[in-house]
């Protein structure tokens, strides 16, 4: 991302911030967008409003205490959601964000397959889901090194989710 001058949103998990605060500081220093992805990454679909608020607040506090910002976006873990979570997020001032292109990079999908899926399936205004960490061999960075130049060549512009929803 930095090599290509592309800014991206990072939906971060609170427990990861608690255990590894330095990467979040680097993400912030590089000018990327930081957003809330819950404290524990538990399935949001099963949460009550009170538990959802606790998940979001706990993550929000860690983000604020680590890099001094209050995020405005929330992505429920696994994209699983319910009305209580949606309402709780809105009451807390969050826009709930999902995606339109899932690269399945968390499954350690080969970078060439991720490239094909994105470059052959993306349209203007799409939100591409990728992960900064996956267990096993992470193929995301290799895929991005192919995807970014190709999409720039095709005339696409990379924007953060906040920029996208603002327009």
């Amino acid at each position: 991302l930095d090599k290509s001058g592309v800014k991206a949103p990072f939906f971060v998990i609170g427990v990861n911030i608690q255990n590894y605060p330095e990467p979040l500081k680097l993400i912030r220093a590089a000018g990327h967008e930081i957003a809330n992805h819950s404290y524990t990454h538990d399935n949001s679909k099963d949460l009550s409003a009170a538990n959802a608020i606790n998940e979001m607040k706990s993550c929000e506090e860690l983000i604020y205490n680590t890099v001094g910002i209050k995020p405005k976006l929330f992505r429920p873990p696994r994209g699983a959601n319910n009305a209580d979570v949606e309402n709780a997020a809105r009451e807390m001032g969050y826009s709930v964000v999902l995606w339109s292109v899932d690269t399945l990079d968390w499954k350690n999908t080969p970078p060439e397959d991720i490239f094909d899926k994105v470059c052959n399936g993306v349209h203007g205004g799409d939100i591409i889901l990728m992960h900064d960490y996956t267990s096993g061999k992470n193929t995301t960075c290799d895929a991005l090194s192919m995807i970014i130049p190709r999409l720039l060549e095709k005339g696409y512009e990379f924007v953060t989710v906040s920029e996208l929803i603002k327009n």
Side-chain angles (χ1 to χ4, degrees), residues 12 33 81 112 125 145:
V12 297
E33 182 171 40
N81 218 353
E112 296 78 14
S145 70

Side-chain angles (χ1 to χ4, degrees), residues 3-20:
K3 180 179 170 184
S4 302
V6 170
K7 301 301 178 205
F10 284 77
F11 288 80
V12 297
I13 301 167
V15 71
N16 291 345
I17 299 167
Q18 189 171 351
N19 294 326
Y20 309 100

Side-chain angles (χ1 to χ4, degrees), residues 24-138:
L24 186 63
K25 293 175 184 176
L26 294 173
I27 290 166
R28 174 72 172 146
H32 297 288
E33 182 171 40
I34 297 171
N36 191 325
H37 193 39
S38 81
Y39 178 75
T40 63
H41 202 263
D42 285 345
N43 191 335
S44 296
K45 184 177 73 173
D46 300 328
L47 294 178
S48 67
N51 287 339
I53 288 170
N54 187 50
E55 282 282 323
M56 287 182 265
K57 273 189 176 180
S58 296
C59 183
E60 180 182 294
E61 288 171 4
L62 284 163
I63 292 169
Y64 186 81
N65 291 337
T66 305
V67 294
I69 62 162
K70 181 194 178 299
K72 296 179 175 128
L73 305 174
F74 172 72
R75 181 164 62 85
R78 300 173 192 90
N81 218 353
N82 67 37
D84 285 340
V85 173
E86 288 267 345
N87 292 333
R90 286 195 184 97
E91 285 176 22
M92 293 181 64
Y94 285 106
S95 294
V96 177
V97 176
L98 295 176
W99 58 88
S100 45
V101 177
D102 187 352
T103 63
L104 301 177
D105 60 339
W106 58 271
K107 288 184 170 183
N108 300 311
T109 304
E112 296 78 14
D113 292 351
I114 295 171
F115 172 84
D116 287 341
K117 182 169 194 166
V118 171
C119 291
N120 294 324
V122 74
H123 300 91
D126 277 344
I127 296 174
I128 302 166
L129 176 65
M130 301 184 98
H131 296 80
D132 61 338
Y133 173 80
T134 58
S135 59
K137 179 169 174 23
N138 185 317

Side-chain angles (χ1 to χ4, degrees), residues 145-162:
S145 70
M146 297 185 291
I147 291 167
I148 292 172
R150 175 61 61 87
L151 292 182
L152 289 172
E153 179 182 290
K154 287 182 162 188
Y156 283 95
E157 179 183 356
F158 289 84
V159 298
T160 64
V161 172
S162 290

